[in-house]
């Protein structure tokens, strides 16, 4: 049996899409456009929520933080991916790779917690409407968000320290768009069972728990909606949850496909496509999902766009 080269890796070389060098520039321009739209869309959502008093509600408070986190989340990955595409590969030091993995895990975890909190907010609004104001107070909102950031930091810190306590040896090429866990685990040498167990256990405290919380919240919401006597009332109530369900399905669907599978013999091309969905496409679509399907956001946007015209009139 041939022995694996045990040369210790001190830097990583990202080579995503290198088998198709002619795709480099078109993909670079495409993802650069996506990134600019992501920044403008999410920053616009944050600004709109701050300036319009009608959006100063718990749901939009959480949505504003989701948009802010999506900006940070996308900015952790996309600039590095653009460099890989433009230069047909990019070297990344061990420290930079660990920092990128930490930031990605940190912001992705906060995204999961915020989506779960938004489901809980919809549950209280639909199933406990008389108690909504007393439950979702400003103090409670800040407590929920602080808890999401704190839990995200704890999970990301433990997973990063555990992952980068592994020994990486042999080939240092990562055929991926950033330093993510599945491709990194393929470069490990020696016994990594304990570290992988710790990583999986802390991952359970993020994705599966958030998914269960969302499913339970919407189970109660569906039961409450079915008890509404009028069809118009049921449609109106469900429409307030539709945008959130769309965002949840897109984000968690791609994450579950990527991480709740074995790491052995995964098709790298499929992994790269899925990684683009949850790192590029989801932050891009979230502002449009919440604005196009939400009457309050559309009215606030229309008011903001008409304000310069009104101020310019004599």
């Amino acid at each position: 049996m041939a022995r694996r080269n045990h040369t210790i890796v001190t830097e990583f070389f990202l080579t995503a899409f290198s088998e198709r060098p002619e795709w480099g520039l078109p993909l670079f321009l495409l993802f650069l456009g996506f990134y600019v739209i992501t920044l403008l869309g999410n920053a616009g959502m944050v600004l709109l929520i701050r300036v319009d008093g009608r959006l100063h509600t718990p749901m939009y408070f959480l949505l504003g933080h989701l948009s802010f986190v999506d900006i940070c989340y996308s900015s952790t990955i996309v600039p590095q991916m653009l460099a890989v595409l433009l230069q047909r590969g990019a070297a990344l030091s061990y420290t930079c790779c660990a920092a990128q993995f930490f930031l990605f895990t940190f912001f992705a975890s906060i995204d999961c917690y915020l989506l779960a909190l938004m489901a809980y907010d919809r549950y209280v609004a639909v199933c406990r409407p008389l108690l909504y104001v007393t439950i979702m107070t400003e103090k409670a909102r800040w407590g929920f968000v602080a808890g999401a950031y704190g839990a995200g930091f704890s999970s990301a810190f433990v997973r990063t320290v555990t992952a980068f306590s592994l020994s990486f040896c042999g080939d240092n090429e990562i055929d991926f768009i950033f330093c993510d866990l599945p491709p990194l685990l393929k470069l490990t040498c020696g016994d990594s069972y304990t570290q992988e167990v710790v990583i999986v256990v802390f991952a359970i405290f993020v994705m599966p728990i958030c998914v269960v919380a969302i499913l339970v919240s919407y189970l109660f919401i569906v039961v409450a909606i079915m008890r509404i006597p009028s069809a118009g009332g049921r449609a109106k109530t469900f429409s307030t949850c539709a945008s959130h369900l769309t965002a949840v399905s897109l984000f968690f669907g791609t994450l579950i496909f990527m991480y709740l599978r074995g790491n052995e013999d995964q098709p790298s091309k499929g992994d790269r496509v899925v990684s683009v969905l949850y790192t590029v496409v989801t932050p891009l679509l979230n502002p449009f999902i919440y604005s196009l399907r939400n009457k309050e956001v559309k009215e606030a946007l229309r008011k903001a766009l008409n304000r310069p015209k009104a101020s310019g009139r004599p």
Side-chain angles (χ1 to χ4, degrees):
M1 182 181 296
R3 295 184 179 180
R4 185 177 178 179
N5 183 2
H6 277 60
T7 303
I8 300 300
V9 172
T10 57
E11 70 173 6
F12 301 94
F13 194 74
L14 303 177
T15 60
F17 305 106
S18 59
E19 73 279 3
R20 293 280 189 173
E22 68 275 13
W23 290 5
L25 183 58
L27 286 176
F28 171 84
L29 295 174
L30 177 66
F31 291 141
L32 177 61
F34 283 173
Y35 182 54
V36 172
I37 296 172
T38 298
L39 296 181
L40 293 176
N42 283 286
M45 183 66 74
V46 172
L47 182 62
L48 193 64
I49 292 171
R50 285 187 61 88
V51 300
D52 196 293
R54 292 173 297 179
L55 301 182
H56 293 173
T57 63
M59 182 178 72
Y60 295 110
F61 175 81
L62 296 173
L63 178 57
H65 279 276
L66 181 69
S67 296
F68 169 73
V69 170
D70 276 348
I71 291 173
C72 301
Y73 173 69
S74 183
S75 298
T76 301
I77 304 300
V78 178
Q80 179 65 60
M81 182 176 64
L82 294 175
V84 172
L85 291 171
L86 193 61
Q87 302 170 12
R88 298 182 183 179
L92 206 60
S93 69
Y94 186 90
T95 302
C96 288
C97 187
Q100 187 181 58
F101 178 75
F102 169 79
L103 291 173
F104 163 73
T105 307
F106 175 50
F107 292 121
S109 299
I110 297 173
D111 249 7
C112 292
Y113 289 126
L114 287 175
L115 289 170
L117 287 172
M118 292 172 75
Y120 174 72
D121 172 80
R122 293 297 84 204
Y123 158 75
V124 177
V126 174
C127 302
R128 299 288 186 271
L130 299 179
L131 299 176
Y132 185 74
V133 176
T134 58
I135 293 176
M136 299 301 292
T137 62
E138 184 176 1
K139 183 178 180 181
R141 282 179 267 164
W142 279 108
F144 287 147
V145 169
Y149 280 80
F153 177 86
S154 301
S155 176
F157 180 79
V158 172
R159 294 186 73 200
T160 303
V161 170
T162 304
F164 283 85
S165 66
L166 296 168
S167 297
F168 301 100
C169 55
D171 190 4
N172 69 339
E173 287 192 0
I174 299 178
D175 188 15
F176 211 63
I177 62 174
F178 68 102
C179 286
D180 199 7
L181 187 60
L184 284 173
L185 289 177
K186 295 179 182 179
L187 301 182
T188 60
C189 53
D191 184 16
S192 62
Y193 177 77
T194 302
Q195 289 92 331
E196 290 187 38
V197 168
V198 173
I199 291 170
V200 170
V201 168
F202 272 84
I204 290 173
F205 284 99
V206 182
M207 188 163 50
I209 285 182
C210 290
V211 170
V212 170
I214 292 169
L215 291 177
V216 171
S217 296
Y218 275 100
L219 177 62
F220 283 106
I221 289 172
V222 169
V223 172
I225 289 175
M226 296 307 296
R227 290 176 179 172
I228 298 175
S230 66
R234 289 195 297 268
K236 182 179 179 181
T237 304
F238 183 76
S239 67
T240 63
C241 306
S243 56
H244 181 249
L245 276 174
T246 305
V248 165
S249 301
L250 183 62
F251 184 69
F252 281 104
T254 52
L255 284 180
I256 289 171
F257 178 84
M258 186 70 183
Y259 292 101
L260 297 189
R261 301 181 297 160
N263 288 315
E264 296 297 327
D265 301 321
Q266 293 182 358
S268 59
K269 290 183 180 179
D271 288 352
R272 282 177 291 175
V273 172
V274 174
S275 67
V276 167
L277 288 177
Y278 66 77
T279 58
V280 179
V281 177
T282 301
L284 167 73
L285 292 181
N286 274 348
F288 299 99
I289 290 172
Y290 285 102
S291 60
L292 293 177
R293 298 188 61 92
N294 194 296
K295 183 178 178 181
E296 290 86 354
V297 174
K298 286 191 288 187
E299 289 179 353
L301 181 60
R302 191 179 298 112
K303 179 182 176 182
L305 293 176
N306 290 333
R307 189 175 299 167
K309 297 179 182 179
S311 61
R313 292 175 183 172

